[in-house]
Amino acid sequence: MKFKIGKNASIHLGCRFDTSGFFSMGSNSTVNQYCHMDNRGGIYIGSNVSISAQVSIVTADHDFGDEMCIARKDKVVIEDYVFIGYGAKIFKNVKMHYGSVLGGASLLTKDTLPYGIYYGVPAKFKKERRNDLKHTSMYKRLFH
């Protein structure tokens, strides 16, 4: 698939990718089961990132204002120590900064602040997370 996957990183069963390449993930990061990674515009994930099950990251859409309804794509960047909750969705041209959190079932369309906790539809800043993070997001499930 021409992906760049760091040491002790894992992608669990049932995940879907839209193309080969345009995907990298740092060490000790996990993409849980049944996630949809629309990596046509590029998805770049740092280290110690936890992406919960059934998350969608979408890097492409269409310009409905254009007579040809042209396709548009742009990357998604997820920095180190980010946590993304179950069923969340992230759209193109978004950067989740170091240590930020996106709550389950939330929709993120704008960049986060470092250590910010966001949730809702659309996701909004709620409070700040502690900034002395040292955990690892490396784990494996049965039938990984």
Side-chain angles (χ1 to χ4, degrees):
M1 294 290 291
K2 300 179 186 173
F3 293 167
K4 295 177 184 171
I5 309 288
K7 184 176 181 180
N8 294 319
S10 58
I11 299 171
H12 295 252
L13 291 172
C15 290
R16 295 179 303 138
F17 292 85
D18 285 356
T19 189
S20 62
F22 308 109
F23 181 86
S24 67
M25 182 167 61
S27 60
N28 302 316
S29 291
T30 299
V31 176
N32 274 285
Q33 64 273 21
Y34 305 112
C35 289
H36 175 212
M37 300 286 134
D38 169 10
N39 56 316
R40 293 173 290 173
I43 297 173
Y44 307 97
I45 299 169
S47 295
N48 293 301
V49 171
S50 180
I51 299 177
S52 299
Q54 296 193 16
V55 165
S56 294
I57 300 177
V58 180
T59 65
D61 64 10
H62 292 274
D63 182 355
F64 295 108
D66 181 83
E67 66 183 18
M68 299 301 290
C69 196
I70 60 170
R72 304 178 295 194
K73 52 188 172 180
D74 206 341
K75 66 186 172 197
V76 169
V77 176
I78 300 169
E79 293 185 346
D80 298 348
Y81 288 102
V82 165
F83 179 89
I84 302 169
Y86 185 95
K89 297 186 181 341
I90 302 171
F91 285 171
K92 70 180 180 60
N93 195 30
V94 166
K95 184 173 192 176
M96 289 194 72
H97 285 274
Y98 190 98
S100 60
V101 174
L102 180 60
S106 295
L107 172 63
L108 187 64
T109 60
K110 297 182 190 248
D111 293 358
T112 64
L113 295 171
Y115 306 104
I117 298 175
Y118 294 77
Y119 54 89
V121 179
K124 293 187 179 16
F125 175 81
K126 301 301 180 181
K127 63 182 178 178
E128 192 168 306
R129 183 182 187 189
R130 63 184 303 147
N131 63 8
D132 59 348
L133 306 173
K134 297 178 183 169
H135 68 279
T136 180
S137 292
M138 177 195 76
Y139 62 93
K140 304 209 185 291
R141 294 190 181 275
L142 284 175
F143 310 113
H144 163 85

